[in-house]
Amino acid sequence: QVQLVESGGGLVQPGGSLRLSCKVSGFPLANRPVGWFRQVPGKAREAVSCISRSAGSTYYADSVKGRFTISGENAKNMVYLQMNNLKPEDTGVYYCATAPRTASWGAYWMDSSRYNYWGQGTQVTVSS
């Protein structure tokens, strides 16, 4: 059974850092891409970043490039999102999700409909 469990959210001041963790089970991390999305009330879920261990690739939304870093640890089946220089607009519920391995994934990673398993989410609030 595929499961994803996020942790690490919280309240942080602008300019601060947080590291989110996503524990995956039911599949080897090397077999499927894992992405991070975020959502605020009244808005669509927004792609943040994704890692594809099989392709050796990482992907980032323009809004977080240079500030966020995604990484994976195959032995522990963990995916991390290191978030630095946080801004108030980074506030939201952060979800990790996984999709079937797909060729040319770089063209599709931001499409939330391609992810078929989701975690429950963790709240990130950036505020002074």
Side-chain angles (χ1 to χ4, degrees), residues 62-86:
D62 287 344
S63 58
V64 306
K65 278 180 184 174
R67 300 188 299 122
F68 290 12
T69 303
I70 192 169
S71 61
E73 197 171 356
N74 283 9
K76 295 184 178 181
N77 255 21
M78 294 290 295
V79 175
Y80 307 101
L81 186 68
Q82 177 66 43
M83 306 186 296
N84 298 329
N85 190 21
L86 282 160

PDB file of all heavy atoms in Angstrom, residues 62-86:
ATOM      1  N   ASP A  62       9.619  28.371 -10.762  1.00  0.00           N
ATOM      2  CA  ASP A  62      10.428  29.597 -10.836  1.00  0.00           C
ATOM      3  C   ASP A  62      10.398  30.365  -9.520  1.00  0.00           C
ATOM      4  O   ASP A  62      11.384  31.002  -9.133  1.00  0.00           O
ATOM      5  CB  ASP A  62       9.921  30.490 -11.972  1.00  0.00           C
ATOM      6  CG  ASP A  62      10.270  29.945 -13.343  1.00  0.00           C
ATOM      7  OD1 ASP A  62      11.144  29.056 -13.441  1.00  0.00           O
ATOM      8  OD2 ASP A  62       9.656  30.403 -14.329  1.00  0.00           O
ATOM      9  N   SER A  63       9.266  30.303  -8.835  1.00  0.00           N
ATOM     10  CA  SER A  63       9.098  31.091  -7.615  1.00  0.00           C
ATOM     11  C   SER A  63       9.991  30.632  -6.465  1.00  0.00           C
ATOM     12  O   SER A  63      10.180  31.370  -5.495  1.00  0.00           O
ATOM     13  CB  SER A  63       7.639  31.054  -7.161  1.00  0.00           C
ATOM     14  OG  SER A  63       7.229  29.718  -6.939  1.00  0.00           O
ATOM     15  N   VAL A  64      10.538  29.412  -6.565  1.00  0.00           N
ATOM     16  CA  VAL A  64      11.352  28.894  -5.458  1.00  0.00           C
ATOM     17  C   VAL A  64      12.785  28.583  -5.868  1.00  0.00           C
ATOM     18  O   VAL A  64      13.600  28.206  -5.016  1.00  0.00           O
ATOM     19  CB  VAL A  64      10.713  27.623  -4.839  1.00  0.00           C
ATOM     20  CG1 VAL A  64       9.272  27.902  -4.427  1.00  0.00           C
ATOM     21  CG2 VAL A  64      10.789  26.440  -5.789  1.00  0.00           C
ATOM     22  N   LYS A  65      13.115  28.733  -7.126  1.00  0.00           N
ATOM     23  CA  LYS A  65      14.480  28.438  -7.591  1.00  0.00           C
ATOM     24  C   LYS A  65      15.490  29.292  -6.837  1.00  0.00           C
ATOM     25  O   LYS A  65      15.290  30.490  -6.642  1.00  0.00           O
ATOM     26  CB  LYS A  65      14.602  28.706  -9.090  1.00  0.00           C
ATOM     27  CG  LYS A  65      14.111  27.579  -9.964  1.00  0.00           C
ATOM     28  CD  LYS A  65      14.270  27.909 -11.445  1.00  0.00           C
ATOM     29  CE  LYS A  65      13.683  26.810 -12.306  1.00  0.00           C
ATOM     30  NZ  LYS A  65      13.691  27.168 -13.745  1.00  0.00           N
ATOM     31  N   GLY A  66      16.551  28.642  -6.414  1.00  0.00           N
ATOM     32  CA  GLY A  66      17.592  29.343  -5.669  1.00  0.00           C
ATOM     33  C   GLY A  66      17.326  29.429  -4.177  1.00  0.00           C
ATOM     34  O   GLY A  66      18.218  29.798  -3.411  1.00  0.00           O
ATOM     35  N   ARG A  67      16.117  29.095  -3.739  1.00  0.00           N
ATOM     36  CA  ARG A  67      15.762  29.150  -2.317  1.00  0.00           C
ATOM     37  C   ARG A  67      15.443  27.767  -1.750  1.00  0.00           C
ATOM     38  O   ARG A  67      15.727  27.493  -0.583  1.00  0.00           O
ATOM     39  CB  ARG A  67      14.562  30.076  -2.109  1.00  0.00           C
ATOM     40  CG  ARG A  67      14.797  31.505  -2.543  1.00  0.00           C
ATOM     41  CD  ARG A  67      13.643  32.427  -2.130  1.00  0.00           C
ATOM     42  NE  ARG A  67      12.370  32.030  -2.728  1.00  0.00           N
ATOM     43  CZ  ARG A  67      11.283  31.719  -2.026  1.00  0.00           C
ATOM     44  NH1 ARG A  67      11.315  31.741  -0.698  1.00  0.00           N
ATOM     45  NH2 ARG A  67      10.157  31.393  -2.643  1.00  0.00           N
ATOM     46  N   PHE A  68      14.829  26.907  -2.559  1.00  0.00           N
ATOM     47  CA  PHE A  68      14.419  25.580  -2.108  1.00  0.00           C
ATOM     48  C   PHE A  68      15.322  24.532  -2.753  1.00  0.00           C
ATOM     49  O   PHE A  68      15.749  24.678  -3.902  1.00  0.00           O
ATOM     50  CB  PHE A  68      12.972  25.282  -2.513  1.00  0.00           C
ATOM     51  CG  PHE A  68      11.928  26.087  -1.777  1.00  0.00           C
ATOM     52  CD1 PHE A  68      12.254  27.188  -0.988  1.00  0.00           C
ATOM     53  CD2 PHE A  68      10.590  25.727  -1.870  1.00  0.00           C
ATOM     54  CE1 PHE A  68      11.298  27.908  -0.326  1.00  0.00           C
ATOM     55  CE2 PHE A  68       9.606  26.437  -1.221  1.00  0.00           C
ATOM     56  CZ  PHE A  68       9.952  27.535  -0.450  1.00  0.00           C
ATOM     57  N   THR A  69      15.557  23.457  -2.014  1.00  0.00           N
ATOM     58  CA  THR A  69      16.331  22.334  -2.527  1.00  0.00           C
ATOM     59  C   THR A  69      15.615  21.038  -2.170  1.00  0.00           C
ATOM     60  O   THR A  69      15.312  20.795  -0.996  1.00  0.00           O
ATOM     61  CB  THR A  69      17.746  22.314  -1.930  1.00  0.00           C
ATOM     62  OG1 THR A  69      18.404  23.553  -2.218  1.00  0.00           O
ATOM     63  CG2 THR A  69      18.558  21.168  -2.532  1.00  0.00           C
ATOM     64  N   ILE A  70      15.371  20.211  -3.179  1.00  0.00           N
ATOM     65  CA  ILE A  70      14.757  18.900  -2.951  1.00  0.00           C
ATOM     66  C   ILE A  70      15.839  17.838  -2.984  1.00  0.00           C
ATOM     67  O   ILE A  70      16.799  17.928  -3.762  1.00  0.00           O
ATOM     68  CB  ILE A  70      13.648  18.620  -3.997  1.00  0.00           C
ATOM     69  CG1 ILE A  70      12.811  17.412  -3.587  1.00  0.00           C
ATOM     70  CG2 ILE A  70      14.245  18.443  -5.393  1.00  0.00           C
ATOM     71  CD1 ILE A  70      11.549  17.244  -4.432  1.00  0.00           C
ATOM     72  N   SER A  71      15.691  16.842  -2.126  1.00  0.00           N
ATOM     73  CA  SER A  71      16.663  15.743  -2.105  1.00  0.00           C
ATOM     74  C   SER A  71      15.951  14.470  -1.680  1.00  0.00           C
ATOM     75  O   SER A  71      14.844  14.516  -1.129  1.00  0.00           O
ATOM     76  CB  SER A  71      17.828  16.060  -1.161  1.00  0.00           C
ATOM     77  OG  SER A  71      17.371  16.234   0.164  1.00  0.00           O
ATOM     78  N   GLY A  72      16.599  13.353  -1.940  1.00  0.00           N
ATOM     79  CA  GLY A  72      16.008  12.075  -1.577  1.00  0.00           C
ATOM     80  C   GLY A  72      17.040  11.179  -0.945  1.00  0.00           C
ATOM     81  O   GLY A  72      18.245  11.312  -1.198  1.00  0.00           O
ATOM     82  N   GLU A  73      16.579  10.289  -0.110  1.00  0.00           N
ATOM     83  CA  GLU A  73      17.449   9.334   0.567  1.00  0.00           C
ATOM     84  C   GLU A  73      16.842   7.951   0.350  1.00  0.00           C
ATOM     85  O   GLU A  73      15.902   7.558   1.063  1.00  0.00           O
ATOM     86  CB  GLU A  73      17.540   9.681   2.054  1.00  0.00           C
ATOM     87  CG  GLU A  73      18.686   9.043   2.767  1.00  0.00           C
ATOM     88  CD  GLU A  73      18.868   9.598   4.177  1.00  0.00           C
ATOM     89  OE1 GLU A  73      18.159  10.533   4.572  1.00  0.00           O
ATOM     90  OE2 GLU A  73      19.735   9.069   4.899  1.00  0.00           O
ATOM     91  N   ASN A  74      17.368   7.239  -0.649  1.00  0.00           N
ATOM     92  CA  ASN A  74      16.762   5.958  -1.048  1.00  0.00           C
ATOM     93  C   ASN A  74      16.696   4.953   0.095  1.00  0.00           C
ATOM     94  O   ASN A  74      15.687   4.272   0.281  1.00  0.00           O
ATOM     95  CB  ASN A  74      17.557   5.362  -2.211  1.00  0.00           C
ATOM     96  CG  ASN A  74      17.256   6.042  -3.521  1.00  0.00           C
ATOM     97  OD1 ASN A  74      16.581   7.071  -3.551  1.00  0.00           O
ATOM     98  ND2 ASN A  74      17.770   5.504  -4.596  1.00  0.00           N
ATOM     99  N   ALA A  75      17.760   4.860   0.861  1.00  0.00           N
ATOM    100  CA  ALA A  75      17.829   3.840   1.907  1.00  0.00           C
ATOM    101  C   ALA A  75      16.740   4.029   2.957  1.00  0.00           C
ATOM    102  O   ALA A  75      16.260   3.065   3.561  1.00  0.00           O
ATOM    103  CB  ALA A  75      19.203   3.860   2.565  1.00  0.00           C
ATOM    104  N   LYS A  76      16.337   5.274   3.172  1.00  0.00           N
ATOM    105  CA  LYS A  76      15.307   5.566   4.179  1.00  0.00           C
ATOM    106  C   LYS A  76      13.946   5.850   3.540  1.00  0.00           C
ATOM    107  O   LYS A  76      12.976   6.113   4.256  1.00  0.00           O
ATOM    108  CB  LYS A  76      15.727   6.767   5.030  1.00  0.00           C
ATOM    109  CG  LYS A  76      16.966   6.520   5.876  1.00  0.00           C
ATOM    110  CD  LYS A  76      17.256   7.708   6.769  1.00  0.00           C
ATOM    111  CE  LYS A  76      18.459   7.450   7.658  1.00  0.00           C
ATOM    112  NZ  LYS A  76      18.741   8.605   8.553  1.00  0.00           N
ATOM    113  N   ASN A  77      13.890   5.826   2.217  1.00  0.00           N
ATOM    114  CA  ASN A  77      12.656   6.167   1.504  1.00  0.00           C
ATOM    115  C   ASN A  77      12.107   7.515   1.964  1.00  0.00           C
ATOM    116  O   ASN A  77      10.913   7.649   2.268  1.00  0.00           O
ATOM    117  CB  ASN A  77      11.605   5.065   1.672  1.00  0.00           C
ATOM    118  CG  ASN A  77      11.456   4.234   0.409  1.00  0.00           C
ATOM    119  OD1 ASN A  77      12.348   4.202  -0.435  1.00  0.00           O
ATOM    120  ND2 ASN A  77      10.340   3.568   0.287  1.00  0.00           N
ATOM    121  N   MET A  78      13.008   8.489   2.001  1.00  0.00           N
ATOM    122  CA  MET A  78      12.647   9.829   2.452  1.00  0.00           C
ATOM    123  C   MET A  78      12.928  10.844   1.351  1.00  0.00           C
ATOM    124  O   MET A  78      13.912  10.732   0.610  1.00  0.00           O
ATOM    125  CB  MET A  78      13.462  10.220   3.687  1.00  0.00           C
ATOM    126  CG  MET A  78      13.188   9.406   4.922  1.00  0.00           C
ATOM    127  SD  MET A  78      11.563   9.718   5.655  1.00  0.00           S
ATOM    128  CE  MET A  78      11.734  11.413   6.167  1.00  0.00           C
ATOM    129  N   VAL A  79      12.064  11.824   1.252  1.00  0.00           N
ATOM    130  CA  VAL A  79      12.279  12.979   0.385  1.00  0.00           C
ATOM    131  C   VAL A  79      12.202  14.231   1.255  1.00  0.00           C
ATOM    132  O   VAL A  79      11.321  14.343   2.107  1.00  0.00           O
ATOM    133  CB  VAL A  79      11.236  13.046  -0.739  1.00  0.00           C
ATOM    134  CG1 VAL A  79      11.395  14.323  -1.546  1.00  0.00           C
ATOM    135  CG2 VAL A  79      11.363  11.819  -1.652  1.00  0.00           C
ATOM    136  N   TYR A  80      13.133  15.138   1.020  1.00  0.00           N
ATOM    137  CA  TYR A  80      13.215  16.356   1.819  1.00  0.00           C
ATOM    138  C   TYR A  80      13.050  17.583   0.934  1.00  0.00           C
ATOM    139  O   TYR A  80      13.434  17.577  -0.240  1.00  0.00           O
ATOM    140  CB  TYR A  80      14.572  16.435   2.531  1.00  0.00           C
ATOM    141  CG  TYR A  80      14.911  15.210   3.337  1.00  0.00           C
ATOM    142  CD1 TYR A  80      15.790  14.233   2.846  1.00  0.00           C
ATOM    143  CD2 TYR A  80      14.347  15.011   4.596  1.00  0.00           C
ATOM    144  CE1 TYR A  80      16.100  13.110   3.582  1.00  0.00           C
ATOM    145  CE2 TYR A  80      14.659  13.878   5.341  1.00  0.00           C
ATOM    146  CZ  TYR A  80      15.531  12.937   4.814  1.00  0.00           C
ATOM    147  OH  TYR A  80      15.830  11.817   5.555  1.00  0.00           O
ATOM    148  N   LEU A  81      12.513  18.625   1.531  1.00  0.00           N
ATOM    149  CA  LEU A  81      12.450  19.920   0.867  1.00  0.00           C
ATOM    150  C   LEU A  81      13.042  20.946   1.825  1.00  0.00           C
ATOM    151  O   LEU A  81      12.406  21.303   2.816  1.00  0.00           O
ATOM    152  CB  LEU A  81      11.015  20.292   0.491  1.00  0.00           C
ATOM    153  CG  LEU A  81      10.877  21.576  -0.332  1.00  0.00           C
ATOM    154  CD1 LEU A  81      11.476  21.374  -1.728  1.00  0.00           C
ATOM    155  CD2 LEU A  81       9.407  21.976  -0.451  1.00  0.00           C
ATOM    156  N   GLN A  82      14.259  21.370   1.526  1.00  0.00           N
ATOM    157  CA  GLN A  82      14.910  22.404   2.318  1.00  0.00           C
ATOM    158  C   GLN A  82      14.477  23.752   1.776  1.00  0.00           C
ATOM    159  O   GLN A  82      14.685  24.053   0.596  1.00  0.00           O
ATOM    160  CB  GLN A  82      16.425  22.267   2.244  1.00  0.00           C
ATOM    161  CG  GLN A  82      17.190  23.342   2.992  1.00  0.00           C
ATOM    162  CD  GLN A  82      16.991  23.272   4.487  1.00  0.00           C
ATOM    163  OE1 GLN A  82      17.005  22.201   5.086  1.00  0.00           O
ATOM    164  NE2 GLN A  82      16.790  24.428   5.125  1.00  0.00           N
ATOM    165  N   MET A  83      13.872  24.559   2.643  1.00  0.00           N
ATOM    166  CA  MET A  83      13.332  25.857   2.221  1.00  0.00           C
ATOM    167  C   MET A  83      14.072  26.965   2.967  1.00  0.00           C
ATOM    168  O   MET A  83      13.997  27.040   4.200  1.00  0.00           O
ATOM    169  CB  MET A  83      11.831  25.915   2.522  1.00  0.00           C
ATOM    170  CG  MET A  83      11.048  24.761   1.920  1.00  0.00           C
ATOM    171  SD  MET A  83       9.262  24.928   2.127  1.00  0.00           S
ATOM    172  CE  MET A  83       9.098  24.844   3.904  1.00  0.00           C
ATOM    173  N   ASN A  84      14.783  27.789   2.223  1.00  0.00           N
ATOM    174  CA  ASN A  84      15.540  28.895   2.796  1.00  0.00           C
ATOM    175  C   ASN A  84      14.972  30.223   2.325  1.00  0.00           C
ATOM    176  O   ASN A  84      14.255  30.284   1.323  1.00  0.00           O
ATOM    177  CB  ASN A  84      17.012  28.795   2.392  1.00  0.00           C
ATOM    178  CG  ASN A  84      17.688  27.534   2.906  1.00  0.00           C
ATOM    179  OD1 ASN A  84      17.330  27.013   3.968  1.00  0.00           O
ATOM    180  ND2 ASN A  84      18.653  27.043   2.164  1.00  0.00           N
ATOM    181  N   ASN A  85      15.318  31.270   3.039  1.00  0.00           N
ATOM    182  CA  ASN A  85      14.882  32.629   2.688  1.00  0.00           C
ATOM    183  C   ASN A  85      13.375  32.658   2.425  1.00  0.00           C
ATOM    184  O   ASN A  85      12.910  33.147   1.388  1.00  0.00           O
ATOM    185  CB  ASN A  85      15.656  33.134   1.467  1.00  0.00           C
ATOM    186  CG  ASN A  85      15.421  34.608   1.200  1.00  0.00           C
ATOM    187  OD1 ASN A  85      15.017  35.358   2.093  1.00  0.00           O
ATOM    188  ND2 ASN A  85      15.658  35.034  -0.027  1.00  0.00           N
ATOM    189  N   LEU A  86      12.631  32.115   3.357  1.00  0.00           N
ATOM    190  CA  LEU A  86      11.184  31.996   3.183  1.00  0.00           C
ATOM    191  C   LEU A  86      10.509  33.366   3.137  1.00  0.00           C
ATOM    192  O   LEU A  86      10.945  34.314   3.817  1.00  0.00           O
ATOM    193  CB  LEU A  86      10.594  31.139   4.294  1.00  0.00           C
ATOM    194  CG  LEU A  86      10.815  29.633   4.094  1.00  0.00           C
ATOM    195  CD1 LEU A  86      10.661  28.886   5.411  1.00  0.00           C
ATOM    196  CD2 LEU A  86       9.861  29.091   3.045  1.00  0.00           C
TER     197      LEU A  86
END
